[in-house]
Amino acid sequence: MYTVAQLIGGVWGAGGAGGELVVHDPADGAPVSAVPVATADEVGKAVEAAREVAPEWAATAPAARAAALHRAADAVEAVTGELAEAVTAEMGKPLADARGGVEAGVATLRQYAELGPLRGGRSLLGAADAIDLMVPQPRGVVAVITPWNDPVAVSCGLLGAALVTGNVVLYKPSERTPATGWLLARALDGVLPAGVLSLLTGGGAVGAALAGGDVDVVAHVGSTATGRSIAEAAARSGAKALLENGGSDPLIVDAGVDPAWAAEQAALGAFANAGQICVAVERIYVHRDVAGDFVDALVGRAGALRTGPGRDPATQLGPLVDRRHRDHVHAQVTAAVAGGARIRVGGAVPDGPGAFYPATVVTDCRHEMALVREETFGPVAPVVVVDSFDEALRCAADSPYGLAATVLTGSMSHAQRAWRELPAGTVKVNAVFGGAPGGAAHPRRGSGQGFGYGPELLDEFTATKAVHLEPPAGGRW
Ligand code: NAD
């Protein structure tokens, strides 16, 4: 059992007067983590303490900040196994995936350590005796509020970019993976100057207190509903809101593609991490010509996945994060069936402990169904049959979200139309999990605002100052 502690003003074990929450293993229901809950007052004090430390960290040379981040990457790498075990224990994903997430996080920290000191501003060509500069500066105090589905990789992106650009950070990991956040913060704090990083734990109320506090940036990765309430809080306080939120990513399967290969891609996109990936395949528009063979192959793949606890190396499909989330997933499937959809495999809540849910293929879906339009975030593949590529593109584009989209096609003109016309931050052709090298993504609509990851994230965490210098009267300095 993990006993989590907060880090406030450089002091471990501070606060927690808001009570205690307990996280349970989604594979068997056993208690995993005991976690203090911060009060609003503690959040306020943590923000004040961070503000005191901010000028010194902002004035630290970029190369020294980068060196600290390299040490941080080493420190996280050294506890890879421990972190991966905590991820699996708290949110259930197979251990090898959890390890992959930690390794991705380490790589991201190193990426930002390399990129940080290479950034610069611009000098402008003004009057001959004047000097005009555009200088990026740290924004100050950054709240980093993160989800549970890939907790180390996601957190390392925001933490690394915010820290290397000279901001101090108040980190609030998900209440579903708090021990993971605590282990990560311990590794980072061990190599950073005291007070540069704080850790606050608890649920949405703690995040809300932070988002409404005296911070300069609220960086949130999580659901669209939370992102919207953070945007409201930030509008009131004047803080910048950086939001990487939910999605309902379409997969278009064009006529003429190999249905077995398309099913392999669809299964990977819909069932990896039990569908709990922001860019998971959430809805499939398949051309009628290939629909029958495609669905048969997808059903075969879904049925063949080995389900079990994440700590069992043979497991391919772990449990969902908890039963509350399973209820949400199952309710969407049940509503689709009530509306005329048909379950081809899965779709039933199993007996026994934990929050398991089978890989599920639902056919006869219509574009209007909530299972298709909303984010399910579970191992569910809803299939809509379409009669043309035009119809598929139209449905794919018609969404309250705009995170990412995938098109499987052998037609170059269809590929070109897809990337030009789909209103999403990332469009992938013939690979469900491709993306920008370095991770840059710019979500649209309900999926958020501002760059998540990539070199552009460094720009999000700085403010550019325009500087104009000219000599005093007489023309001489
Ligand atoms: P969530 O928004 O419920 O929680 C995320 C964090 O926000 C948690 O730390 C939580 O305590 C905090 N929070 C909750 N209510 C808050 C409030 N009112 N004010 C401030 N903070 C609050 O999301 P989740 O369930 O943890 O994560 C799943 C969601 O995250 C999915 O929608 C998924 O698509 C999304 N996600 C997006 C990306 C991306 O890059 N776009 C990546 C991973 C996950």
Side-chain angles (χ1 to χ4, degrees):
M1 179 109 169
Y2 301 101
T3 305
V4 170
Q6 298 195 110
L7 172 64
I8 297 177
V11 179
W12 279 106
E20 184 185 75
L21 64 86
V22 174
V23 179
H24 294 91
D25 186 329
D28 58 16
V32 175
S33 319
V35 187
V37 176
T39 61
D41 187 49
E42 289 167 17
V43 172
K45 291 210 165 74
V47 174
E48 265 174 43
R51 211 162 263 300
E52 273 177 32
V53 178
E56 198 177 331
W57 184 239
T60 301
R65 293 198 300 252
L69 204 61
H70 270 303
R71 288 196 300 277
D74 294 343
V76 176
E77 190 171 36
V79 291
T80 298
E82 210 183 329
L83 272 166
E85 277 169 23
V87 171
T88 297
E90 292 195 312
M91 61 71 67
K93 74 163 71 184
L95 196 53
D97 291 0
R99 218 185 150 82
V102 179
E103 287 163 0
V106 170
T108 307
L109 291 174
R110 293 203 203 289
Q111 170 180 289
Y112 287 129
E114 291 295 323
L115 290 174
L118 299 182
R119 295 179 72 244
R122 290 198 293 145
S123 63
L124 306 176
L125 300 176
D129 62 350
I131 298 171
D132 287 280
L133 304 171
M134 302 284 280
V135 185
Q137 293 188 313
R139 284 182 175 266
V141 178
V142 173
V144 167
I145 304 176
T146 55
W148 47 267
N149 64 315
D150 198 358
V152 180
V154 167
S155 298
C156 284
L158 294 176
L159 294 171
L163 289 166
V164 84
T165 43
N167 301 283
V168 296
V169 173
L170 297 140
Y171 173 39
K172 211 299 275 173
S174 168
E175 59 274 33
R176 281 154 153 165
T177 50
T180 304
W182 165 68
L183 288 169
L184 180 63
R186 257 193 357 184
L188 298 177
D189 176 62
V191 296
L192 290 169
V196 165
L197 178 72
S198 304
L199 175 74
L200 293 159
T201 52
V206 178
L210 202 44
D214 178 27
V215 299
D216 300 298
V217 181
V218 188
H220 170 252
V221 179
S223 69
T224 297
T226 301
R228 294 220 159 114
S229 82
I230 287 175
E232 283 177 24
R236 278 193 295 274
S237 71
K240 169 178 173 156
L242 177 64
L243 306 172
E244 308 303 319
N245 294 153
S248 177
D249 286 5
L251 170 69
I252 294 177
V253 181
D254 202 1
V257 302
D258 172 3
W261 166 72
E264 182 189 340
Q265 287 289 310
L268 179 64
F271 305 140
N273 200 18
Q276 302 166 122
I277 301 178
C278 55
V279 290
V281 166
E282 288 268 341
R283 49 197 173 115
I284 300 171
Y285 302 102
V286 56
H287 195 282
R288 194 172 296 283
D289 287 358
V290 290
D293 290 344
F294 166 78
V295 168
D296 287 346
L298 183 57
V299 167
R301 285 192 169 271
L305 286 174
R306 279 190 305 275
T307 304
R311 55 186 169 271
D312 179 347
T315 292
Q316 295 171 310
L317 186 72
L320 294 176
V321 66
D322 58 23
R323 288 193 170 190
R324 178 162 62 92
H325 184 52
R326 180 170 74 175
D327 289 347
H328 155 80
V329 171
H330 190 57
Q332 277 197 1
V333 170
T334 309
V337 171
R342 203 154 64 93
I343 290 174
R344 286 287 305 271
V345 65
V349 173
D351 291 334
F356 290 95
Y357 198 78
T360 298
V361 178
V362 188
T363 59
D364 302 70
C365 291
R366 290 187 316 279
H367 175 62
E368 303 72 38
M369 290 174 165
L371 181 67
V372 176
R373 291 189 63 79
E374 284 307 318
E375 186 176 51
T376 308
F377 224 53
V380 182
V383 181
V384 179
V385 176
V386 294
D387 288 304
S388 66
F389 189 72
D390 273 349
E391 184 185 351
L393 264 192
R394 213 173 35 248
C395 291
D398 175 32
S399 173
Y401 301 101
L403 198 56
T406 305
V407 179
L408 304 181
T409 183
S411 157
M412 183 54 111
S413 69
H414 285 180
Q416 295 278 8
R417 280 193 61 196
W419 79 256
R420 286 175 204 278
E421 293 178 26
L422 289 174
T426 301
V427 175
K428 299 158 281 182
V429 175
N430 294 332
V432 280
F433 284 147
H442 201 192
R444 303 181 186 188
R445 299 177 170 170
S447 293
Q449 59 190 38
F451 269 96
Y453 324 104
E456 292 81 357
L457 183 55
L458 297 169
D459 299 331
E460 300 285 357
F461 283 123
T462 52
T464 302
K465 184 173 285 175
V467 181
H468 173 76
L469 301 164
E470 61 178 86
R476 296 172 75 89
W477 285 99

